[in-house]
Short mmCIF file of all heavy atoms in Angstrom, two decimals:
data_model
loop_
_atom_site.label_atom_id
_atom_site.label_comp_id
_atom_site.label_asym_id
_atom_site.label_seq_id
_atom_site.Cartn_x
_atom_site.Cartn_y
_atom_site.Cartn_z
N ASP A 1 96.55 86.16 88.14
CA ASP A 1 97.30 86.24 89.40
C ASP A 1 97.96 87.58 89.48
O ASP A 1 98.57 88.06 88.56
CB ASP A 1 98.20 85.03 89.50
CG ASP A 1 99.68 85.20 89.46
OD1 ASP A 1 100.22 85.78 90.40
OD2 ASP A 1 100.30 84.72 88.49
N ASN A 2 97.76 88.28 90.61
CA ASN A 2 98.28 89.62 90.82
C ASN A 2 99.78 89.60 91.16
O ASN A 2 100.26 88.66 91.76
CB ASN A 2 97.56 90.35 91.96
CG ASN A 2 96.14 90.71 91.56
OD1 ASN A 2 95.83 90.70 90.37
ND2 ASN A 2 95.34 91.02 92.54
N GLN A 3 100.47 90.59 90.74
CA GLN A 3 101.88 90.73 91.04
C GLN A 3 102.20 92.18 91.34
O GLN A 3 101.45 93.07 90.97
CB GLN A 3 102.74 90.21 89.89
CG GLN A 3 102.52 90.96 88.58
CD GLN A 3 103.41 90.47 87.47
OE1 GLN A 3 104.51 90.09 87.71
NE2 GLN A 3 102.93 90.52 86.25
N ASN A 4 103.30 92.38 92.00
CA ASN A 4 103.73 93.77 92.25
C ASN A 4 104.29 94.39 90.99
O ASN A 4 105.03 93.74 90.24
CB ASN A 4 104.77 93.78 93.39
CG ASN A 4 104.15 93.58 94.72
OD1 ASN A 4 103.04 93.92 94.97
ND2 ASN A 4 104.90 92.93 95.60
N ILE A 5 103.94 95.61 90.77
CA ILE A 5 104.43 96.37 89.60
C ILE A 5 105.25 97.55 90.12
O ILE A 5 104.81 98.27 91.03
CB ILE A 5 103.24 96.89 88.77
CG1 ILE A 5 102.35 95.75 88.30
CG2 ILE A 5 103.74 97.73 87.59
CD1 ILE A 5 102.99 94.79 87.36
N ASN A 6 106.42 97.75 89.56
CA ASN A 6 107.22 98.92 89.85
C ASN A 6 106.95 99.99 88.82
O ASN A 6 106.93 99.69 87.62
CB ASN A 6 108.73 98.57 89.90
CG ASN A 6 109.05 97.59 90.97
OD1 ASN A 6 108.68 97.78 92.11
ND2 ASN A 6 109.74 96.52 90.63
N ILE A 7 106.71 101.22 89.27
CA ILE A 7 106.39 102.30 88.38
C ILE A 7 107.40 103.40 88.62
O ILE A 7 107.59 103.84 89.75
CB ILE A 7 104.97 102.82 88.65
CG1 ILE A 7 103.98 101.66 88.56
CG2 ILE A 7 104.63 103.96 87.67
CD1 ILE A 7 102.62 101.96 89.14
N GLN A 8 108.04 103.86 87.56
CA GLN A 8 109.00 104.98 87.66
C GLN A 8 108.47 106.15 86.89
O GLN A 8 108.05 106.00 85.72
CB GLN A 8 110.36 104.60 87.13
CG GLN A 8 111.08 103.60 88.00
CD GLN A 8 112.46 103.32 87.45
OE1 GLN A 8 112.65 103.12 86.24
NE2 GLN A 8 113.45 103.35 88.32
N LEU A 9 108.50 107.33 87.52
CA LEU A 9 108.20 108.57 86.79
C LEU A 9 109.53 109.12 86.35
O LEU A 9 110.44 109.35 87.14
CB LEU A 9 107.53 109.59 87.75
CG LEU A 9 107.22 110.95 87.16
CD1 LEU A 9 106.14 110.81 86.06
CD2 LEU A 9 106.77 111.91 88.22
N VAL A 10 109.68 109.23 85.01
CA VAL A 10 110.95 109.59 84.40
C VAL A 10 110.79 110.86 83.58
O VAL A 10 109.80 111.00 82.86
CB VAL A 10 111.44 108.43 83.48
CG1 VAL A 10 112.75 108.73 82.83
CG2 VAL A 10 111.55 107.12 84.28
N ASP A 11 111.75 111.79 83.68
CA ASP A 11 111.69 113.02 82.86
C ASP A 11 112.22 112.75 81.46
O ASP A 11 112.69 111.65 81.16
CB ASP A 11 112.35 114.20 83.58
CG ASP A 11 113.86 114.11 83.67
OD1 ASP A 11 114.46 113.25 83.02
OD2 ASP A 11 114.46 114.93 84.40
N VAL A 12 112.18 113.77 80.61
CA VAL A 12 112.59 113.58 79.20
C VAL A 12 114.08 113.32 79.05
O VAL A 12 114.51 112.86 77.98
CB VAL A 12 112.15 114.78 78.30
CG1 VAL A 12 110.65 114.82 78.20
CG2 VAL A 12 112.72 116.07 78.82
N THR A 13 114.87 113.59 80.07
CA THR A 13 116.32 113.33 79.98
C THR A 13 116.63 111.89 80.45
O THR A 13 117.80 111.47 80.41
CB THR A 13 117.15 114.30 80.83
OG1 THR A 13 116.87 114.10 82.22
CG2 THR A 13 116.87 115.75 80.44
N GLY A 14 115.63 111.18 80.95
CA GLY A 14 115.83 109.82 81.43
C GLY A 14 116.08 109.70 82.92
O GLY A 14 116.28 108.62 83.46
N ARG A 15 115.99 110.84 83.62
CA ARG A 15 116.25 110.85 85.07
C ARG A 15 115.00 110.38 85.81
O ARG A 15 113.89 110.88 85.54
CB ARG A 15 116.60 112.25 85.51
CG ARG A 15 116.95 112.40 86.98
CD ARG A 15 117.48 113.77 87.32
NE ARG A 15 116.55 114.81 86.94
CZ ARG A 15 115.93 115.62 87.78
NH1 ARG A 15 116.21 115.55 89.06
NH2 ARG A 15 115.07 116.53 87.36
N THR A 16 115.14 109.46 86.74
CA THR A 16 114.00 108.99 87.53
C THR A 16 113.67 110.02 88.58
O THR A 16 114.51 110.43 89.38
CB THR A 16 114.35 107.64 88.23
OG1 THR A 16 114.61 106.67 87.19
CG2 THR A 16 113.18 107.15 89.07
N ILE A 17 112.42 110.48 88.56
CA ILE A 17 111.93 111.48 89.51
C ILE A 17 111.30 110.86 90.72
O ILE A 17 111.48 111.34 91.84
CB ILE A 17 110.90 112.41 88.80
CG1 ILE A 17 111.48 113.00 87.52
CG2 ILE A 17 110.39 113.49 89.74
CD1 ILE A 17 112.72 113.84 87.72
N LYS A 18 110.56 109.80 90.53
CA LYS A 18 109.84 109.14 91.60
C LYS A 18 109.66 107.68 91.28
O LYS A 18 109.48 107.33 90.11
CB LYS A 18 108.47 109.83 91.77
CG LYS A 18 107.72 109.47 93.02
CD LYS A 18 106.43 110.27 93.09
CE LYS A 18 106.59 111.40 94.10
NZ LYS A 18 105.32 111.99 94.48
N THR A 19 109.71 106.83 92.28
CA THR A 19 109.46 105.40 92.09
C THR A 19 108.35 104.93 93.01
O THR A 19 108.34 105.28 94.16
CB THR A 19 110.76 104.60 92.39
OG1 THR A 19 111.82 105.04 91.54
CG2 THR A 19 110.56 103.12 92.20
N LEU A 20 107.45 104.18 92.44
CA LEU A 20 106.31 103.62 93.19
C LEU A 20 106.31 102.11 93.07
O LEU A 20 106.72 101.59 92.05
CB LEU A 20 104.98 104.14 92.64
CG LEU A 20 104.77 105.63 92.52
CD1 LEU A 20 103.57 105.92 91.69
CD2 LEU A 20 104.60 106.22 93.91
N ARG A 21 105.81 101.44 94.07
CA ARG A 21 105.59 100.03 93.99
C ARG A 21 104.14 99.80 94.29
O ARG A 21 103.64 100.24 95.30
CB ARG A 21 106.46 99.25 94.95
CG ARG A 21 106.33 97.78 94.79
CD ARG A 21 107.32 97.05 95.62
NE ARG A 21 107.11 95.64 95.42
CZ ARG A 21 107.97 94.72 95.70
NH1 ARG A 21 109.11 95.05 96.25
NH2 ARG A 21 107.70 93.48 95.49
N ASN A 22 103.42 99.17 93.37
CA ASN A 22 101.96 99.08 93.47
C ASN A 22 101.50 97.68 93.16
O ASN A 22 102.00 97.04 92.23
CB ASN A 22 101.37 100.07 92.47
CG ASN A 22 99.99 100.47 92.85
OD1 ASN A 22 99.55 100.27 93.98
ND2 ASN A 22 99.30 101.06 91.92
N GLU A 23 100.57 97.19 93.93
CA GLU A 23 99.89 95.93 93.57
C GLU A 23 99.17 96.20 92.26
O GLU A 23 98.63 97.27 92.05
CB GLU A 23 98.91 95.54 94.67
CG GLU A 23 98.26 94.21 94.43
CD GLU A 23 99.15 93.02 94.61
OE1 GLU A 23 100.16 93.16 95.30
OE2 GLU A 23 98.85 91.96 94.07
N TYR A 24 99.24 95.25 91.34
CA TYR A 24 98.68 95.47 90.01
C TYR A 24 97.23 95.98 90.13
O TYR A 24 96.41 95.42 90.82
CB TYR A 24 98.70 94.16 89.20
CG TYR A 24 98.14 94.36 87.84
CD1 TYR A 24 98.89 94.96 86.82
CD2 TYR A 24 96.84 93.96 87.53
CE1 TYR A 24 98.39 95.16 85.59
CE2 TYR A 24 96.32 94.15 86.26
CZ TYR A 24 97.07 94.77 85.30
OH TYR A 24 96.57 94.97 84.04
N SER A 25 96.97 97.07 89.42
CA SER A 25 95.65 97.69 89.44
C SER A 25 95.50 98.53 88.18
O SER A 25 96.47 98.93 87.55
CB SER A 25 95.54 98.57 90.69
OG SER A 25 94.34 99.31 90.63
N ASP A 26 94.27 98.83 87.85
CA ASP A 26 93.99 99.68 86.68
C ASP A 26 94.10 101.15 87.05
O ASP A 26 94.10 102.02 86.20
CB ASP A 26 92.60 99.43 86.13
CG ASP A 26 92.47 98.08 85.46
OD1 ASP A 26 93.52 97.54 85.05
OD2 ASP A 26 91.34 97.56 85.34
N ILE A 27 94.17 101.45 88.38
CA ILE A 27 94.24 102.81 88.83
C ILE A 27 95.58 103.09 89.55
O ILE A 27 95.97 102.32 90.42
CB ILE A 27 93.07 103.11 89.80
CG1 ILE A 27 91.74 102.94 89.05
CG2 ILE A 27 93.20 104.52 90.41
CD1 ILE A 27 90.54 103.03 89.96
N ILE A 28 96.21 104.18 89.17
CA ILE A 28 97.47 104.61 89.82
C ILE A 28 97.26 105.98 90.38
O ILE A 28 96.83 106.89 89.67
CB ILE A 28 98.63 104.62 88.81
CG1 ILE A 28 98.85 103.26 88.19
CG2 ILE A 28 99.91 105.14 89.45
CD1 ILE A 28 99.73 103.27 86.98
N ARG A 29 97.55 106.12 91.64
CA ARG A 29 97.50 107.48 92.27
C ARG A 29 98.92 107.98 92.47
O ARG A 29 99.72 107.34 93.11
CB ARG A 29 96.76 107.37 93.60
CG ARG A 29 95.32 106.99 93.43
CD ARG A 29 94.60 106.99 94.77
NE ARG A 29 93.30 106.40 94.63
CZ ARG A 29 92.20 107.06 94.28
NH1 ARG A 29 92.26 108.34 94.01
NH2 ARG A 29 91.04 106.43 94.19
N LEU A 30 99.17 109.14 91.90
CA LEU A 30 100.50 109.71 91.92
C LEU A 30 100.42 111.17 92.32
O LEU A 30 99.80 111.99 91.62
CB LEU A 30 101.16 109.56 90.54
CG LEU A 30 102.53 110.18 90.33
CD1 LEU A 30 103.58 109.52 91.20
CD2 LEU A 30 102.94 110.05 88.86
N ASP A 31 101.00 111.53 93.45
CA ASP A 31 101.00 112.92 93.91
C ASP A 31 102.07 113.68 93.16
O ASP A 31 103.28 113.38 93.27
CB ASP A 31 101.29 112.97 95.41
CG ASP A 31 101.34 114.38 95.96
OD1 ASP A 31 100.98 115.32 95.23
OD2 ASP A 31 101.75 114.53 97.13
N VAL A 32 101.64 114.64 92.34
CA VAL A 32 102.56 115.42 91.52
C VAL A 32 102.62 116.87 91.98
O VAL A 32 103.13 117.73 91.27
CB VAL A 32 102.22 115.33 90.03
CG1 VAL A 32 102.36 113.92 89.49
CG2 VAL A 32 100.82 115.89 89.74
N SER A 33 102.14 117.14 93.20
CA SER A 33 102.07 118.50 93.68
C SER A 33 103.43 119.14 93.83
O SER A 33 103.54 120.38 93.77
CB SER A 33 101.31 118.57 95.01
OG SER A 33 101.98 117.79 96.00
N ASN A 34 104.49 118.37 93.97
CA ASN A 34 105.84 118.95 94.12
C ASN A 34 106.72 118.65 92.91
O ASN A 34 107.94 118.75 93.01
CB ASN A 34 106.52 118.40 95.40
CG ASN A 34 106.66 116.88 95.38
OD1 ASN A 34 106.07 116.23 94.53
ND2 ASN A 34 107.42 116.34 96.26
N ILE A 35 106.10 118.36 91.78
CA ILE A 35 106.85 118.08 90.54
C ILE A 35 106.60 119.18 89.57
O ILE A 35 105.46 119.65 89.39
CB ILE A 35 106.45 116.72 89.99
CG1 ILE A 35 106.79 115.61 90.96
CG2 ILE A 35 107.06 116.47 88.64
CD1 ILE A 35 106.33 114.25 90.62
N SER A 36 107.65 119.65 88.88
CA SER A 36 107.53 120.73 87.92
C SER A 36 106.69 120.33 86.73
O SER A 36 106.65 119.16 86.33
CB SER A 36 108.91 121.13 87.42
OG SER A 36 109.72 121.57 88.47
N ALA A 37 106.01 121.33 86.16
CA ALA A 37 105.23 121.07 84.95
C ALA A 37 106.17 120.59 83.83
O ALA A 37 107.31 120.99 83.73
CB ALA A 37 104.53 122.38 84.52
N GLY A 38 105.64 119.71 82.98
CA GLY A 38 106.41 119.24 81.85
C GLY A 38 105.97 117.87 81.36
O GLY A 38 104.93 117.34 81.82
N VAL A 39 106.71 117.30 80.44
CA VAL A 39 106.42 115.98 79.89
C VAL A 39 107.22 114.93 80.64
O VAL A 39 108.42 115.11 80.86
CB VAL A 39 106.75 115.94 78.38
CG1 VAL A 39 106.54 114.55 77.80
CG2 VAL A 39 105.94 116.97 77.62
N TYR A 40 106.57 113.84 81.02
CA TYR A 40 107.17 112.76 81.76
C TYR A 40 106.72 111.43 81.20
O TYR A 40 105.79 111.37 80.40
CB TYR A 40 106.81 112.83 83.25
CG TYR A 40 107.32 114.05 83.95
CD1 TYR A 40 106.60 115.23 83.94
CD2 TYR A 40 108.54 114.06 84.60
CE1 TYR A 40 107.06 116.39 84.57
CE2 TYR A 40 109.03 115.18 85.23
CZ TYR A 40 108.28 116.34 85.22
OH TYR A 40 108.76 117.46 85.84
N PHE A 41 107.38 110.38 81.62
CA PHE A 41 106.98 109.02 81.22
C PHE A 41 106.80 108.17 82.45
O PHE A 41 107.59 108.28 83.39
CB PHE A 41 108.05 108.40 80.31
CG PHE A 41 108.24 109.18 79.03
CD1 PHE A 41 109.18 110.20 78.96
CD2 PHE A 41 107.45 108.91 77.93
CE1 PHE A 41 109.34 110.91 77.78
CE2 PHE A 41 107.59 109.61 76.77
CZ PHE A 41 108.55 110.65 76.69
N LEU A 42 105.82 107.31 82.47
CA LEU A 42 105.62 106.33 83.48
C LEU A 42 106.12 104.99 82.90
O LEU A 42 105.60 104.53 81.88
CB LEU A 42 104.16 106.17 83.86
CG LEU A 42 103.55 107.33 84.62
CD1 LEU A 42 102.07 107.11 84.83
CD2 LEU A 42 104.23 107.53 85.96
N SER A 43 107.16 104.43 83.51
CA SER A 43 107.73 103.18 83.05
C SER A 43 107.31 102.08 84.03
O SER A 43 107.51 102.15 85.23
CB SER A 43 109.24 103.32 83.01
OG SER A 43 109.83 102.08 82.65
N PHE A 44 106.71 101.02 83.48
CA PHE A 44 106.19 99.90 84.28
C PHE A 44 107.07 98.69 84.11
O PHE A 44 107.35 98.26 83.00
CB PHE A 44 104.78 99.56 83.84
CG PHE A 44 103.82 100.71 83.93
CD1 PHE A 44 103.65 101.61 82.88
CD2 PHE A 44 103.06 100.92 85.05
CE1 PHE A 44 102.80 102.66 82.95
CE2 PHE A 44 102.17 101.96 85.16
CZ PHE A 44 102.03 102.85 84.11
N THR A 45 107.51 98.12 85.28
CA THR A 45 108.28 96.87 85.20
C THR A 45 107.68 95.91 86.24
O THR A 45 107.12 96.32 87.24
CB THR A 45 109.77 97.09 85.52
OG1 THR A 45 109.89 97.75 86.78
CG2 THR A 45 110.46 97.93 84.46
N ASN A 46 107.89 94.60 85.99
CA ASN A 46 107.38 93.62 86.96
C ASN A 46 108.51 93.32 87.97
O ASN A 46 109.57 93.92 87.94
CB ASN A 46 106.89 92.35 86.25
CG ASN A 46 107.96 91.62 85.50
OD1 ASN A 46 109.16 91.81 85.69
ND2 ASN A 46 107.55 90.74 84.60
N ALA A 47 108.25 92.36 88.83
CA ALA A 47 109.18 92.03 89.93
C ALA A 47 110.52 91.52 89.39
O ALA A 47 111.55 91.62 90.08
CB ALA A 47 108.55 91.02 90.87
N ASP A 48 110.54 91.01 88.16
CA ASP A 48 111.77 90.48 87.55
C ASP A 48 112.50 91.59 86.78
O ASP A 48 113.42 91.30 86.04
CB ASP A 48 111.47 89.34 86.60
CG ASP A 48 110.86 88.14 87.30
OD1 ASP A 48 111.20 87.95 88.47
OD2 ASP A 48 110.04 87.44 86.69
N ALA A 49 112.02 92.84 86.90
CA ALA A 49 112.62 94.01 86.22
C ALA A 49 112.43 93.94 84.69
O ALA A 49 113.16 94.56 83.95
CB ALA A 49 114.12 94.20 86.59
N THR A 50 111.43 93.17 84.26
CA THR A 50 111.08 93.12 82.85
C THR A 50 110.15 94.29 82.54
O THR A 50 109.12 94.44 83.23
CB THR A 50 110.39 91.80 82.51
OG1 THR A 50 111.28 90.73 82.83
CG2 THR A 50 110.04 91.74 81.02
N LYS A 51 110.50 95.10 81.55
CA LYS A 51 109.68 96.25 81.20
C LYS A 51 108.36 95.78 80.63
O LYS A 51 108.33 94.97 79.71
CB LYS A 51 110.37 97.19 80.24
CG LYS A 51 109.61 98.49 79.99
CD LYS A 51 110.35 99.44 79.10
CE LYS A 51 111.40 100.13 79.93
NZ LYS A 51 112.03 101.25 79.23
N ILE A 52 107.26 96.28 81.19
CA ILE A 52 105.91 95.92 80.75
C ILE A 52 105.38 96.95 79.76
O ILE A 52 104.68 96.63 78.84
CB ILE A 52 104.96 95.80 81.95
CG1 ILE A 52 105.48 94.68 82.91
CG2 ILE A 52 103.56 95.50 81.51
CD1 ILE A 52 104.74 94.66 84.23
N GLY A 53 105.71 98.21 80.02
CA GLY A 53 105.20 99.27 79.11
C GLY A 53 105.60 100.64 79.61
O GLY A 53 106.17 100.82 80.68
N VAL A 54 105.32 101.61 78.76
CA VAL A 54 105.65 103.04 79.06
C VAL A 54 104.45 103.88 78.61
O VAL A 54 103.86 103.62 77.56
CB VAL A 54 106.93 103.48 78.30
CG1 VAL A 54 107.19 104.96 78.49
CG2 VAL A 54 108.11 102.64 78.71
N LYS A 55 104.08 104.87 79.41
CA LYS A 55 103.03 105.81 79.08
C LYS A 55 103.55 107.24 79.24
O LYS A 55 104.21 107.55 80.24
CB LYS A 55 101.83 105.65 80.00
CG LYS A 55 100.92 104.53 79.71
CD LYS A 55 100.23 104.81 78.41
CE LYS A 55 98.97 103.99 78.28
NZ LYS A 55 98.34 104.16 77.02
N LYS A 56 103.28 108.08 78.28
CA LYS A 56 103.65 109.49 78.35
C LYS A 56 102.57 110.24 79.11
O LYS A 56 101.39 110.04 78.87
CB LYS A 56 103.80 110.04 76.94
CG LYS A 56 104.18 111.52 76.90
CD LYS A 56 104.47 111.94 75.49
CE LYS A 56 103.56 113.04 75.10
NZ LYS A 56 103.81 113.51 73.72
N ILE A 57 102.99 111.13 80.01
CA ILE A 57 102.04 111.98 80.72
C ILE A 57 102.54 113.43 80.67
O ILE A 57 103.75 113.66 80.54
CB ILE A 57 101.80 111.55 82.17
CG1 ILE A 57 103.09 111.68 83.02
CG2 ILE A 57 101.26 110.13 82.26
CD1 ILE A 57 102.81 111.49 84.52
N VAL A 58 101.61 114.33 80.77
CA VAL A 58 101.95 115.77 80.80
C VAL A 58 101.45 116.34 82.14
O VAL A 58 100.28 116.13 82.47
CB VAL A 58 101.33 116.53 79.63
CG1 VAL A 58 101.64 118.01 79.74
CG2 VAL A 58 101.85 115.97 78.31
N ILE A 59 102.32 116.97 82.89
CA ILE A 59 101.95 117.60 84.14
C ILE A 59 101.94 119.11 83.87
O ILE A 59 102.91 119.68 83.36
CB ILE A 59 102.95 117.26 85.24
CG1 ILE A 59 102.94 115.73 85.52
CG2 ILE A 59 102.63 118.03 86.51
CD1 ILE A 59 103.97 115.27 86.48
N TRP A 60 100.81 119.71 84.15
CA TRP A 60 100.72 121.17 84.01
C TRP A 60 100.14 121.75 85.27
O TRP A 60 99.44 121.09 86.00
CB TRP A 60 99.91 121.56 82.76
CG TRP A 60 98.52 121.07 82.77
CD1 TRP A 60 98.08 119.82 82.43
CD2 TRP A 60 97.34 121.80 83.12
NE1 TRP A 60 96.72 119.74 82.60
CE2 TRP A 60 96.23 120.95 83.00
CE3 TRP A 60 97.14 123.12 83.54
CZ2 TRP A 60 94.95 121.37 83.26
CZ3 TRP A 60 95.85 123.51 83.82
CH2 TRP A 60 94.78 122.63 83.70
N ILE A 61 100.48 123.00 85.49
CA ILE A 61 100.04 123.66 86.71
C ILE A 61 99.13 124.82 86.31
O ILE A 61 99.52 125.66 85.50
CB ILE A 61 101.24 124.18 87.49
CG1 ILE A 61 102.10 123.00 87.93
CG2 ILE A 61 100.81 124.98 88.73
CD1 ILE A 61 103.46 123.38 88.50
N ARG A 62 97.96 124.87 86.93
CA ARG A 62 97.03 125.97 86.70
C ARG A 62 97.09 126.86 87.95
O ARG A 62 96.77 126.42 89.05
CB ARG A 62 95.65 125.43 86.49
CG ARG A 62 94.65 126.55 86.23
CD ARG A 62 93.31 125.99 85.93
NE ARG A 62 92.78 125.33 87.11
CZ ARG A 62 91.59 124.80 87.21
NH1 ARG A 62 90.80 124.80 86.16
NH2 ARG A 62 91.18 124.24 88.33
N LYS A 63 97.53 128.07 87.77
CA LYS A 63 97.62 128.99 88.90
C LYS A 63 96.27 129.72 89.05
O LYS A 63 95.68 130.15 88.09
CB LYS A 63 98.71 130.02 88.64
CG LYS A 63 100.08 129.37 88.66
CD LYS A 63 101.18 130.42 88.54
CE LYS A 63 102.50 129.72 88.56
NZ LYS A 63 103.60 130.65 88.51
N MET A 64 95.87 129.79 90.30
CA MET A 64 94.61 130.48 90.58
C MET A 64 94.87 132.01 90.52
O MET A 64 95.83 132.50 91.07
CB MET A 64 94.12 130.12 91.97
CG MET A 64 93.85 128.64 92.13
SD MET A 64 92.56 128.02 91.01
CE MET A 64 91.13 128.74 91.74
N LEU A 65 93.99 132.69 89.82
CA LEU A 65 94.11 134.15 89.73
C LEU A 65 93.34 134.79 90.88
O LEU A 65 92.30 134.30 91.31
CB LEU A 65 93.51 134.63 88.41
CG LEU A 65 94.19 134.10 87.15
CD1 LEU A 65 93.42 134.54 85.91
CD2 LEU A 65 95.64 134.60 87.08
N PRO A 66 93.91 135.89 91.39
CA PRO A 66 93.17 136.59 92.50
C PRO A 66 91.83 137.08 92.00
O PRO A 66 91.71 137.49 90.82
CB PRO A 66 94.10 137.74 92.84
CG PRO A 66 95.22 137.73 91.92
CD PRO A 66 95.13 136.52 91.03
N GLN A 67 90.84 137.06 92.82
CA GLN A 67 89.50 137.49 92.43
C GLN A 67 89.23 138.90 92.85
O GLN A 67 89.66 139.41 93.82
CB GLN A 67 88.47 136.57 93.02
CG GLN A 67 88.57 135.21 92.45
CD GLN A 67 87.45 134.28 92.96
OE1 GLN A 67 86.60 134.67 93.73
NE2 GLN A 67 87.48 133.06 92.47
#
């Protein structure tokens, strides 16, 4: 049975950067175009605010060089 999952993008200091609410799925789409490069964590909780899990992610920016 599917349930809503709350997903928080959290920086290394514990500050919440972005919060998403998603119907349970194996795929998460997260726009990070306006987020600084660095190490972050995705914290997953269910509708009862019970923590389901945490995943570490690294956001890096590749700058295009002039040709």
Side-chain angles (χ1 to χ4, degrees):
D1 113 68
N2 288 344
Q3 61 177 326
N4 286 328
I5 302 295
N6 295 310
I7 305 164
Q8 290 184 314
L9 179 66
V10 181
D11 69 12
V12 293
T13 67
R15 183 172 58 115
T16 299
I17 305 300
K18 192 177 256 195
T19 301
L20 304 167
R21 185 172 179 163
N22 204 15
E23 184 72 22
Y24 181 77
S25 172
D26 290 338
I27 298 172
I28 299 166
R29 295 184 190 273
L30 176 64
D31 179 10
V32 296
S33 61
N34 61 347
I35 296 174
S36 299
V39 176
Y40 295 87
F41 298 91
L42 290 175
S43 176
F44 301 88
T45 55
N46 64 17
D48 298 329
T50 302
K51 188 175 280 190
I52 299 170
V54 175
K55 281 291 201 185
K56 179 173 121 179
I57 64 170
V58 177
I59 297 173
W60 60 279
I61 299 170
R62 181 176 67 176
K63 294 186 179 181
M64 300 298 289
L65 298 175
Q67 294 184 359

